[in-house]
Amino acid sequence: MTEAEDIKFMRRCLELASKAEGMTYPNPMVGAVIVHDGKILGEGYHIRSGEPHAEVIAINSVADKTKLKQSTLYVNLEPCSHFGKTPPCADYIIASHIPRVVIGTIDTSDKVSGKGAEMLREAGCEVITGILVKECRRLNRRFFTFHEKKRPYITLKWAQSADAYLDGIRSENHKKEPTWISGKAERVLVHKWRTSEQAILVGANTVRADDPQLNIREWTGADPMKLVLSNSGSVTGRLFDNNKGNKTVIFTYNKTVNIPGVVKILLLGNISSAVQICDYLYTAGIQSLFIEGGAEVLNHFISEGLWDEARIFTGWKYFKAGVKSPELRGILFSKTIFIGSTLEIYLKEGS
């Protein structure tokens, strides 16, 4: 196989793996492809935790198993080497007599961390690593951040006016809802994004002003865990209703607050609330955090350096006054133009 062919089939692995975005937690997204004489014999991707891994699905999909002995298996993440909810994929690959395995990137979690590739080499497999590493790590950025930085991957999201305001000056009779800046297509996209994240955070001021639901209404998927940061803990709203079994958590300094059905986490005054939220989520096994506002919460996480990605919609309207948008420094990753706004995605340098 040439390097160009290895890249081509690795891209197919990534395409397959991405089909299960938001569904595999706590496992990573993995796609696998089996190639014989330049043609795909079988393929598969991991759908959810506890179900067969991508490599097993791909191997089992091959009709003529005798061809496995002259085939290459492509996988975007190093095959597991330990017993979890399923047996080690490395053992299954070895038992299938596949002579060549091409791995996109090494799994840096403690349970694998090179052990899978080592098992394959010791069994006589030719193992190639480092194909489309950047793309492979990007796909599983939540998984890698969780295991390497011991915190969730943090995505900031906001919409701002053309002159960089999150909100204008509201009149006394302003309806309790967001001041819409972007259009319908953008709102659908945000709901799609929510299906990929495990937790979503807003501040108490956003709850009071906008009464958000923070659920999935415009897309199909599971609602993320809802988090509220409130100094006083005195906050009510629709987000506390219809949780569909996913708990709501309020982070507060108020020892006396009690909201029925809501988990209260008492914050310590001498430690950054952003740090405490990240520590709580890491301990709970939550790999991703989506922060939707407001300005105070966004600025707090930015000032603490606790963010990895920012998704910013800029509309065409001018507010001239109101709540100023956060400012951050990042690397422009992509830019998309909608009818009502422009979306820019920035990555934090080093993330």
Side-chain angles (χ1 to χ4, degrees):
M1 289 285 186
T2 65
E3 183 179 1
E5 288 177 309
D6 286 346
I7 290 173
K8 180 179 76 172
F9 292 119
M10 188 59 65
R11 290 199 187 282
R12 177 57 180 164
C13 291
L14 292 169
E15 182 182 4
L16 289 166
S18 66
K19 292 176 181 290
E21 186 170 25
M23 298 164 57
T24 64
Y25 292 118
N27 294 350
M29 292 174 277
V30 182
V33 174
I34 297 174
V35 177
H36 180 268
D37 285 343
K39 295 181 180 179
I40 294 177
L41 283 185
E43 59 184 26
Y45 62 95
H46 182 52
I47 298 176
R48 59 182 58 87
S49 177
E51 296 190 7
H53 289 189
E55 301 94 322
V56 174
I57 295 172
I59 291 170
N60 288 344
S61 73
V62 175
D64 185 355
K65 297 293 192 294
T66 62
K67 291 183 178 180
L68 291 174
K69 296 179 181 180
Q70 296 88 35
S71 297
T72 296
L73 183 145
Y74 291 86
V75 62
N76 59 286
L77 188 68
E78 177 185 8
C80 63
S81 54
H82 62 285
F83 281 89
K85 292 182 178 180
T86 60
C89 289
D91 281 347
Y92 199 66
I93 296 167
I94 293 167
S96 299
H97 306 290
I98 297 173
R100 184 172 184 263
V101 180
V102 178
I103 298 168
T105 188
I106 295 298
D107 180 343
T108 56
S109 63
D110 292 340
K111 290 182 178 179
V112 185
S113 193
K115 299 182 186 73
E118 183 181 354
M119 282 178 61
L120 293 170
R121 289 192 178 101
E122 288 179 350
C125 293
E126 177 190 0
V127 179
I128 308 296
T129 60
I131 304 296
L132 297 182
V133 173
K134 186 176 180 180
E135 291 88 341
C136 291
R137 284 186 60 87
R138 169 71 184 168
L139 178 72
N140 279 307
R141 57 196 180 277
R142 302 168 182 89
F143 177 82
F144 284 116
T145 298
F146 181 83
H147 288 284
E148 295 172 4
K149 297 185 178 180
K150 311 304 180 186
R151 65 164 175 81
Y153 184 91
I154 301 171
T155 301
L156 313 177
K157 191 259 2 180
W158 71 83
Q160 61 186 23
S161 64
D163 48 353
Y165 287 96
L166 295 180
D167 198 358
I169 297 175
R170 297 191 176 191
S171 63
E172 291 184 1
N173 60 354
H174 189 284
K175 190 176 179 181
K176 196 174 182 182
E177 66 177 14
T179 299
W180 295 111
I181 294 172
S182 57
K184 174 69 174 180
E186 295 94 313
R187 292 197 285 276
V188 171
L189 178 60
V190 169
H191 282 242
K192 180 178 184 295
W193 286 343
R194 288 177 181 174
T195 66
S196 299
E197 312 302 339
Q198 286 189 285
I200 184 170
L201 170 69
V202 294
N205 288 337
T206 296
V207 176
R208 296 185 187 107
D210 297 345
D211 194 20
Q213 297 181 64
L214 303 183
N215 59 11
I216 311 301
R217 303 183 303 281
E218 304 286 352
W219 204 260
T220 300
D223 288 343
M225 178 191 296
K226 303 170 188 177
L227 314 176
V228 178
L229 176 58
S230 172
N231 288 337
S232 68
S234 178
V235 59
T236 59
R238 292 182 299 172
L239 66 85
F240 297 111
D241 303 327
N242 302 321
N243 288 325
K244 295 181 181 178
N246 213 344
K247 66 182 178 182
T248 299
V249 181
I250 187 165
F251 295 87
T252 182
Y253 294 98
N254 188 346
K255 296 180 181 179
T256 63
V257 69
N258 182 32
I259 303 175
V262 175
V263 177
K264 181 183 74 176
I265 302 299
L266 193 62
L267 296 169
L268 303 175
N270 60 341
I271 303 175
S272 157
S273 58
V275 170
Q276 293 181 72
I277 290 170
C278 287
D279 287 347
Y280 171 84
L281 293 176
Y282 177 74
T283 301
I286 301 300
Q287 294 182 9
S288 66
L289 174 62
F290 197 56
I291 303 179
E292 291 205 32
E296 189 174 351
V297 174
L298 291 165
N299 281 318
H300 175 54
F301 274 79
I302 292 169
S303 68
E304 292 292 327
L306 286 172
W307 68 279
D308 300 286
E309 182 173 334
R311 302 175 183 179
I312 306 168
F313 293 101
T314 302
W316 313 134
K317 296 179 182 178
Y318 288 82
F319 287 172
K320 298 182 180 179
V323 181
K324 285 296 292 184
S325 302
E327 295 182 5
L328 55 72
R329 285 180 150 185
I331 301 168
L332 182 63
F333 177 74
S334 68
K335 186 173 184 177
T336 306
I337 298 176
F338 293 87
I339 293 175
S341 70
T342 297
L343 167 64
E344 293 178 315
I345 297 180
Y346 291 89
L347 305 182
K348 184 183 176 188
E349 192 168 357
S351 291

